[in-house]
């Protein structure tokens, strides 16, 4: 029993055959070799070429796209690490990429520090749902000089998010910032956005 042929494969085969036939027809009309071709077809006029180009046009582009099994972008959909939503790389490339860095200071208004447990809960409940595709958290030591010239230090969490540019992503970052400031009164926070080239992710 022969294997069933998928409708898509049959359609692609038909398109391929149609193009091959038209190209052969065009080659036959344009070939002048050793007088083998009839005098009436030794020279292909502009009208003939234009007509054949019009016949080829409906088949060429659908076939080229069909060979890859992809939409008009020519790229398969993928998830970029740190992006807020799944978009096609070609679309993300048009919009551009940003590396957003959020610096969360651990000291609140009364001088006490945000506990590791409270931070872990904030990361799980607020930051991760806003950017589920990926992010990086770094435990750091923040240091800055105040207006009185005194240098002070505090534990700091740095969250790095690689994301495509867009209003949705900006809204989510603002939501994270507002939630942090509301939950941890008086804690300091800094945001840095850096334009970057399209990131490359190398999986195992």
């Amino acid at each position: 029993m022969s294997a069933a042929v998928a409708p898509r494969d049959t359609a692609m085969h038909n398109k391929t055959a149609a193009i091959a036939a038209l190209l052969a027809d065009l080659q036959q009309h344009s070939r002048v070799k050793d007088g083998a071709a009839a005098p009436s077809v030794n020279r292909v006029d502009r009208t003939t070429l234009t007509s054949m180009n019009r016949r080829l046009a409906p088949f060429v582009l659908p076939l080229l796209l069909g060979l890859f099994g992809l939409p008009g972008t020519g790229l398969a959909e993928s998830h970029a690490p740190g992006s807020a939503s799944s978009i096609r790389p070609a679309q993300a490339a048009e919009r551009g990429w940003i590396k957003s860095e959020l610096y969360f200071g651990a000291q609140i208004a009364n001088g006490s520090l945000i506990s590791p447990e409270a931070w872990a809960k904030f990361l799980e409940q607020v930051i991760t749902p806003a950017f589920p595709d990926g992010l990086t958290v770094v435990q750091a030591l923040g240091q800055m000089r105040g207006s009185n010239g005194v240098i002070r230090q505090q534990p700091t969490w740095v969250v790095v998010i690689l994301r495509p540019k867009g209003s949705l992503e900006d809204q989510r970052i603002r939501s994270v910032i507002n939630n942090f400031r509301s939950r941890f009164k008086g804690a300091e926070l800094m945001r840095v956005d850096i334009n970057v080239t399209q990131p490359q992710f190398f999986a195992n």
Side-chain angles (χ1 to χ4, degrees):
M1 179 181 293
S2 59
V5 179
R8 180 181 175 183
D9 294 338
T10 301
M12 184 178 297
H13 175 76
N14 291 340
K15 292 178 181 178
T16 305
I19 290 178
L22 289 172
L23 290 176
D25 192 17
L26 178 61
Q27 185 179 35
Q28 174 64 28
H29 281 73
S30 62
R31 182 184 299 118
V32 180
K33 183 177 180 181
D34 298 331
S40 61
V41 298
N42 281 348
R43 180 173 175 272
V44 180
D45 58 27
R46 186 178 302 274
T47 301
T48 302
L49 289 175
T50 301
S51 174
M52 290 190 173
N53 286 338
R54 289 175 179 173
R55 293 166 61 193
L56 283 169
F59 298 97
V60 175
L61 182 57
L63 177 62
L64 291 178
L65 297 180
L67 288 175
F68 294 99
L70 302 174
T73 59
L75 291 171
E77 182 172 336
S78 66
H79 297 259
S83 62
S85 58
S86 300
I87 65 174
R88 299 187 186 281
Q91 296 171 337
E94 292 176 358
R95 291 166 54 184
W97 287 85
I98 290 181
K99 180 173 72 171
S100 292
E101 298 178 350
L102 302 177
Y103 295 78
F104 298 91
Q107 188 172 12
I108 58 179
N110 62 8
S112 62
L113 299 178
I114 300 171
S115 68
E117 293 77 16
W119 166 257
K121 188 175 181 180
F122 176 73
L123 177 65
E124 178 185 0
Q125 294 180 346
V126 179
I127 303 180
T128 299
F131 297 95
D133 286 346
L135 50 85
T136 300
V137 180
V138 180
Q139 177 70 64
L141 178 64
Q143 178 176 297
M144 65 182 301
R145 183 171 63 182
S147 57
N148 58 359
V150 177
I151 295 177
R152 60 186 179 85
Q153 298 177 333
Q154 66 172 314
T156 302
W157 290 282
V158 182
V159 177
V160 182
I161 304 168
L162 290 174
R163 62 183 182 84
K165 292 181 180 178
S167 58
L168 174 61
E169 289 78 9
D170 287 333
Q171 291 173 9
R172 294 185 180 190
I173 287 182
R174 287 195 298 269
S175 177
V176 168
I177 292 174
N178 292 336
N179 192 301
F180 180 80
R181 297 183 64 190
S182 176
R183 184 176 300 204
F184 306 110
K185 300 293 185 181
E188 296 174 326
L189 187 150
M190 182 173 68
R191 171 184 175 179
V192 177
D193 289 329
I194 305 170
N195 290 321
V196 297
T197 57
Q198 183 171 339
Q200 293 180 316
F201 181 70
F202 301 93
N204 291 333

